[in-house]
mmCIF file of all heavy atoms in Angstrom:
data_model
loop_
_atom_site.group_PDB
_atom_site.id
_atom_site.type_symbol
_atom_site.label_atom_id
_atom_site.label_comp_id
_atom_site.label_asym_id
_atom_site.label_seq_id
_atom_site.Cartn_x
_atom_site.Cartn_y
_atom_site.Cartn_z
ATOM 1 N N PRO A 172 16.049 13.569 9.215
ATOM 2 C CA PRO A 172 15.162 13.826 10.351
ATOM 3 C C PRO A 172 14.308 15.071 10.117
ATOM 4 O O PRO A 172 14.691 15.971 9.368
ATOM 5 C CB PRO A 172 16.124 14.059 11.527
ATOM 6 C CG PRO A 172 17.447 13.523 11.088
ATOM 7 C CD PRO A 172 17.479 13.657 9.604
ATOM 8 N N PHE A 173 13.145 15.102 10.780
ATOM 9 C CA PHE A 173 12.401 16.357 10.865
ATOM 10 C C PHE A 173 12.550 16.835 12.302
ATOM 11 O O PHE A 173 12.247 16.102 13.239
ATOM 12 C CB PHE A 173 10.925 16.204 10.503
ATOM 13 C CG PHE A 173 10.250 17.532 10.283
ATOM 14 C CD1 PHE A 173 10.211 18.094 9.024
ATOM 15 C CD2 PHE A 173 9.704 18.240 11.349
ATOM 16 C CE1 PHE A 173 9.629 19.343 8.815
ATOM 17 C CE2 PHE A 173 9.124 19.485 11.159
ATOM 18 C CZ PHE A 173 9.080 20.035 9.886
ATOM 19 N N PRO A 174 13.021 18.061 12.505
ATOM 20 C CA PRO A 174 13.378 18.500 13.863
ATOM 21 C C PRO A 174 12.173 18.884 14.704
ATOM 22 O O PRO A 174 11.066 19.080 14.196
ATOM 23 C CB PRO A 174 14.262 19.723 13.596
ATOM 24 C CG PRO A 174 13.704 20.294 12.326
ATOM 25 C CD PRO A 174 13.296 19.104 11.500
ATOM 26 N N SER A 175 12.403 19.041 15.985
ATOM 27 C CA SER A 175 11.362 19.480 16.911
ATOM 28 C C SER A 175 11.007 20.930 16.623
ATOM 29 O O SER A 175 11.742 21.660 15.941
ATOM 30 C CB SER A 175 11.852 19.350 18.352
ATOM 31 O OG SER A 175 12.925 20.252 18.584
ATOM 32 N N PHE A 176 9.877 21.348 17.157
ATOM 33 C CA PHE A 176 9.400 22.718 16.942
ATOM 34 C C PHE A 176 10.433 23.755 17.364
ATOM 35 O O PHE A 176 10.650 24.755 16.681
ATOM 36 C CB PHE A 176 8.094 22.925 17.716
ATOM 37 C CG PHE A 176 7.680 24.362 17.831
ATOM 38 C CD1 PHE A 176 7.234 25.065 16.728
ATOM 39 C CD2 PHE A 176 7.752 25.027 19.051
ATOM 40 C CE1 PHE A 176 6.867 26.401 16.826
ATOM 41 C CE2 PHE A 176 7.380 26.351 19.164
ATOM 42 C CZ PHE A 176 6.940 27.049 18.046
ATOM 43 N N GLU A 177 11.095 23.521 18.506
ATOM 44 C CA GLU A 177 12.058 24.491 19.011
ATOM 45 C C GLU A 177 13.199 24.733 18.029
ATOM 46 O O GLU A 177 13.762 25.828 17.966
ATOM 47 C CB GLU A 177 12.636 24.022 20.363
ATOM 48 C CG GLU A 177 11.682 24.135 21.532
ATOM 49 C CD GLU A 177 10.596 23.061 21.505
ATOM 50 O OE1 GLU A 177 10.743 22.079 20.744
ATOM 51 O OE2 GLU A 177 9.604 23.213 22.229
ATOM 52 N N ILE A 178 13.545 23.714 17.258
ATOM 53 C CA ILE A 178 14.599 23.849 16.244
ATOM 54 C C ILE A 178 14.029 24.395 14.942
ATOM 55 O O ILE A 178 14.561 25.342 14.357
ATOM 56 C CB ILE A 178 15.287 22.488 15.992
ATOM 57 C CG1 ILE A 178 15.945 21.974 17.276
ATOM 58 C CG2 ILE A 178 16.299 22.595 14.861
ATOM 59 C CD1 ILE A 178 17.072 22.829 17.787
ATOM 60 N N PHE A 179 12.913 23.825 14.487
ATOM 61 C CA PHE A 179 12.364 24.196 13.183
ATOM 62 C C PHE A 179 11.963 25.664 13.135
ATOM 63 O O PHE A 179 12.088 26.316 12.087
ATOM 64 C CB PHE A 179 11.168 23.310 12.850
ATOM 65 C CG PHE A 179 10.580 23.577 11.486
ATOM 66 C CD1 PHE A 179 11.213 23.112 10.351
ATOM 67 C CD2 PHE A 179 9.409 24.316 11.344
ATOM 68 C CE1 PHE A 179 10.688 23.367 9.089
ATOM 69 C CE2 PHE A 179 8.880 24.577 10.096
ATOM 70 C CZ PHE A 179 9.515 24.097 8.964
ATOM 71 N N ARG A 180 11.476 26.203 14.235
ATOM 72 C CA ARG A 180 11.002 27.586 14.211
ATOM 73 C C ARG A 180 12.136 28.594 14.002
ATOM 74 O O ARG A 180 11.869 29.760 13.735
ATOM 75 C CB ARG A 180 10.253 27.915 15.504
ATOM 76 C CG ARG A 180 11.122 27.956 16.757
ATOM 77 C CD ARG A 180 10.288 28.375 17.950
ATOM 78 N NE ARG A 180 11.024 28.270 19.198
ATOM 79 C CZ ARG A 180 10.525 28.635 20.370
ATOM 80 N NH1 ARG A 180 9.294 29.115 20.446
ATOM 81 N NH2 ARG A 180 11.241 28.510 21.465
ATOM 82 N N LEU A 181 13.395 28.154 14.105
ATOM 83 C CA LEU A 181 14.517 29.042 13.820
ATOM 84 C C LEU A 181 14.614 29.371 12.333
ATOM 85 O O LEU A 181 15.234 30.365 11.953
ATOM 86 C CB LEU A 181 15.829 28.401 14.284
ATOM 87 C CG LEU A 181 15.942 28.065 15.781
ATOM 88 C CD1 LEU A 181 17.263 27.364 16.057
ATOM 89 C CD2 LEU A 181 15.811 29.318 16.627
ATOM 90 N N LEU A 182 14.009 28.540 11.497
ATOM 91 C CA LEU A 182 14.065 28.751 10.051
ATOM 92 C C LEU A 182 13.237 29.973 9.670
ATOM 93 O O LEU A 182 12.061 30.076 10.029
ATOM 94 C CB LEU A 182 13.532 27.505 9.329
ATOM 95 C CG LEU A 182 13.563 27.520 7.802
ATOM 96 C CD1 LEU A 182 14.990 27.633 7.287
ATOM 97 C CD2 LEU A 182 12.900 26.266 7.254
#
Side-chain angles (χ1 to χ4, degrees):
F173 193 91
S175 66
F176 167 70
E177 287 74 14
I178 299 296
F179 183 76
R180 68 176 173 177
L181 300 177
L182 182 62

